[in-house]
Amino acid sequence: MKVVVQVKLMPQAEQAGALSVTLHTVNEAANWVSAVAFEHGVPREYELRKHTYGELRSRGLGAQAAQHIIKKTRDAYTTLRANIRAGNLGKPGSKRRTLAESKPITFRPEAAQPYDDRCLSWQYDAQTVSIWTTSGRIKNVRFACSSDAFKTLRDHRQGESDLIERDGVFYLLATCDVPEAEQYEPDHFIGVDLGIANIATTSTGHKSAGRGLNRHRKRQLDLRRKLQAKGTKSAKRLLKKRNRREQRHAKNQNHIIAKTIVTEAERTSAGISLEELRGIRQRVRLRKPQRVALHSWAFAQLADFIVYKARRAGVPVVFVDPAYTSQQCCECGHIDKKNRASQARFTCRNCGVVAHADRNASHNIARKGVAVWTAGRESRVPATP
């Protein structure tokens, strides 16, 4: 299982200058390669290398750096095409899709640059790295990370690492190949209902309220509006300083929720059943205030956190169809829109059971998880001759 570990570099002043110049140089070169690729109809990587490798070398870039720049550019176009095929940039002829297809891909001056083991070496005992720059190789660049991240890095690092710069701070994103735990046979399934008012509600009674996170996001939104309306240099500096703070806060909350759910499932030898919420933004129709909350919510991120933490712990995870889980009674199975009396209240029109709406939905998701797991297990059993 691939896991990305982020470490913070703590270079000296001269080292920081060399790293900054390197990132600006390689991304400027990547923009040139991107223009060449766009002009030639985005050829395959080997053909693109024939058009650009010599020029990159003549600019003073190392052989490995030139190869990585070409590969990075080609991968960016591959990702763009995948997003277009998936409809993530809108329908053919839409403004967003037309804009993406009409000009070359551009890279920010601080965009990530991949490094392999020939350009980057790690000294774990000294907690330093040696890294290639356009000014030559610099050694003894200190890095810092948590103890768990350091252990993962030291034991399982494999493949490339990306150098990035965020607000003047340098980071290395190292790819680690962590072995998965052996998956056990679950005794039952815990259903997880994801929502806005309650981020995650489980069929075992755990509920992660989203009220605090919603208040935090509303404060951040109001502050951004005030600073943007002000438009002064100090306001712009403050906006830049607060950039990504909301994302980090939500990401941390998702990590905590995911860890709680996976730990409970592991402790009780249970599996986890999640709703398949891919494409929810295209499916639902909401009023404008509700769209703001929906489109800023990290549905996929929380699900991804649960999945990767579960894989490391050996906890089975299944995805189920979310259709009617909020309208169906978990006791008698009756489906009716009117069963959902309010956002929080569920009242069955058939059997009269009254329950919290999210708790009722989580029980339906758990039941569907059992059905999906059983069907999958039966499909793997060879037919009797």
Side-chain angles (χ1 to χ4, degrees), residues 90-311:
K91 298 179 181 179
S94 65
K95 182 182 295 186
R96 186 181 179 191
R97 179 166 173 173
T98 302
L99 182 63
E101 294 176 324
S102 62
K103 63 179 183 179
I105 291 176
T106 57
F107 298 88
R108 294 177 293 103
E110 302 86 9
Q113 172 65 12
Y115 281 78
D116 59 18
D117 289 341
R118 286 168 286 191
C119 304
L120 173 69
S121 59
W122 301 77
Q123 295 80 44
Y124 298 114
D125 293 337
Q127 208 157 324
T128 60
V129 296
S130 171
I131 187 170
W132 172 87
T133 68
T134 52
S135 303
R137 198 174 185 95
I138 57 176
K139 301 181 179 180
N140 301 321
V141 181
R142 297 176 57 234
F143 69 86
C145 60
S146 67
S147 57
D148 290 340
F150 181 76
K151 185 178 185 303
T152 303
L153 183 70
R154 183 183 57 195
D155 296 341
H156 306 294
R157 190 194 65 80
Q158 189 177 38
E160 295 180 349
S161 303
D162 288 347
L163 173 68
I164 62 173
E165 181 182 357
R166 293 176 185 159
D167 301 330
V169 180
F170 296 94
Y171 298 90
L172 279 173
L173 306 181
T175 303
C176 299
D177 192 1
V178 179
E180 297 182 24
E182 184 178 355
Q183 196 175 81
Y184 56 78
E185 186 70 23
D187 295 335
H188 60 284
F189 272 82
I190 296 176
V192 182
D193 179 65
L194 305 179
I196 300 297
N198 296 309
I199 302 175
T201 304
T202 69
S203 55
T204 56
H206 175 76
K207 183 169 64 175
S208 300
R211 190 179 299 109
L213 186 55
N214 283 331
R215 283 201 299 262
H216 173 79
R217 287 187 165 183
K218 187 177 184 305
R219 286 197 300 269
Q220 299 301 314
L221 179 62
D222 292 342
L223 179 59
R224 283 198 303 271
R225 285 172 175 168
K226 291 179 181 178
L227 292 174
Q228 289 166 351
K230 200 170 185 181
T232 61
K233 288 184 177 180
S234 60
K236 292 178 181 178
R237 281 198 301 268
L238 186 56
L239 275 171
K240 186 176 180 181
K241 181 179 179 181
R242 302 183 68 86
N243 189 27
R244 291 187 294 272
R245 182 172 295 182
E246 179 183 337
Q247 295 180 13
R248 291 197 301 270
H249 180 78
K251 185 177 181 180
N252 180 62
Q253 293 297 317
N254 282 339
H255 269 300
I256 294 173
I257 295 168
K259 185 175 181 180
T260 302
I261 293 172
V262 172
T263 301
E264 181 182 6
E266 184 181 16
R267 179 178 57 83
T268 58
S269 299
I272 299 175
S273 179
L274 297 172
E275 298 171 284
E276 179 55 74
L277 295 178
R278 304 289 179 180
I280 188 174
R281 291 176 173 84
Q282 289 75 36
R283 293 198 307 266
V284 299
R285 295 293 181 266
L286 299 171
R287 290 175 295 180
K288 189 172 181 179
Q290 295 172 311
R291 290 201 300 268
V292 172
L294 175 69
H295 287 272
S296 63
W297 204 263
F299 288 106
Q301 186 188 73
L302 176 55
D304 289 343
F305 286 173
I306 293 174
V307 169
Y308 101 79
K309 291 178 189 294
R311 290 173 64 185

Side-chain angles (χ1 to χ4, degrees), residues 197-198 201 207 211 326 339-347 354-361:
N198 296 309
T201 304
K207 183 169 64 175
R211 190 179 299 109
S326 62
N339 285 346
R340 190 74 180 262
S342 65
Q343 189 278 326
R345 186 181 177 86
F346 182 92
T347 305
V354 178
H356 191 281
D358 293 340
R359 182 75 180 275
N360 176 79

